[in-house]
Structure formats: C-alpha cells, structure tokens
Amino acid sequence: RPQVPDSLVNARCVLASHRQRGNPVLQHIHNIRWVYADIVPDYVLGESTCALFISLRYHALHRGYLTSRMHELADAFRTRIVLCYADSEDGSAALEEITGLCVQRGFSLIVCWSPQEAARYLETFKVRRRAVPPRARAQTHPEAWRARLRALC
C-alpha cells in the first residue's frame, strides 16, 4: 500500500499527486480542500479509494501510460477509479480501450465531459466516501421494501 500519512488521509481534503500540476480539474474543486502529496495514484479520496485521471487525447498519444499507472497501483486500494475526460470528439476507440483496461484490472470507469464535471466527481467521492449505500440502508428497513413490492404488484 502506498505510504500516505494518516493525518492527510483522515483530513477532509483530496490528495492530489504532483503529476496533476497544471490539470484544470484542480481549479474547479471548490467545495473541499485539496493538497499536493507524494502519492502513487493521481488522487486519494479516502483510506481505500483512489482515482487515476486520463483524457482521451492523452491516451491516444500515450497508449501505455494508463496500463503502467494501473500496474503501479496493483491492489493498493479497494476502490480504484479511472476518471476519464472525454476531450475528443473522435475518441470512441480510445474510450473502448480504456473501458477494456478498467474491466480487466478491476477499476471503475467514470467518463466526464468537462474539467468542472471531473472536479464534481472528485468532490462527491471524497464527501460520500463513508456514506451507507442505498442498498444497505434498504436492508435495514424491510417494511419499506415490502411496501414497494405491494405497490408494484
């Protein structure tokens, strides 16, 4: 597991790799703090959650980049996200390739259409990292499910 100081992981801020300097996504993170850190992934969003960032244009120019970044992470984080910026109108082949890499290596893929949208995803993952999933919440209220089933039948 990459060494990230506990004080930073537990803080209410996104950790951004120094590799992300100049990435316009960082300019659009407004609702939470972020700091640069010496980390392997591009972003650490919680103790077990990280993200790699790639744009379709960059992927088209550097085909092996995402594969090597995924390899660096190995299984260091339970939730591993590829945040893909669709900055190319003719990027369907690149997006298909990125999708395949994510499926093969167990990463979740999120495609965004602007740096602002990418920033919102990072903020949301950071803020909601400890939220109970709706499915788990529903299991604690079986009567709510029964009522829904009766309504459907």
Side-chain angles (χ1 to χ4, degrees), residues 86 112 137:
C112 54
R137 275 183 277 169

Side-chain angles (χ1 to χ4, degrees), residues 49-118:
T49 306
C50 72
L52 295 176
F53 180 84
I54 189 105
S55 74
L56 292 179
R57 285 183 189 172
Y58 192 88
H59 182 73
L61 294 172
H62 307 279
R63 288 279 192 222
Y65 176 78
L66 185 58
T67 303
S68 67
R69 298 297 313 283
M70 290 174 156
H71 181 72
E72 286 177 56
L73 279 177
D75 293 327
F77 291 84
R78 187 178 55 202
T79 304
R80 298 169 302 159
I81 300 162
V82 170
L83 187 57
C84 179
Y85 174 31
D87 60 348
S88 173
E89 290 183 23
D90 61 341
S92 60
L95 185 56
E96 188 174 325
E97 188 175 324
I98 291 169
T99 301
L101 289 171
C102 289
V103 169
Q104 290 170 357
R105 291 177 169 79
F107 281 71
S108 298
L109 174 62
I110 296 184
V111 180
C112 54
W113 305 100
S114 69
Q116 295 89 337
E117 185 180 7

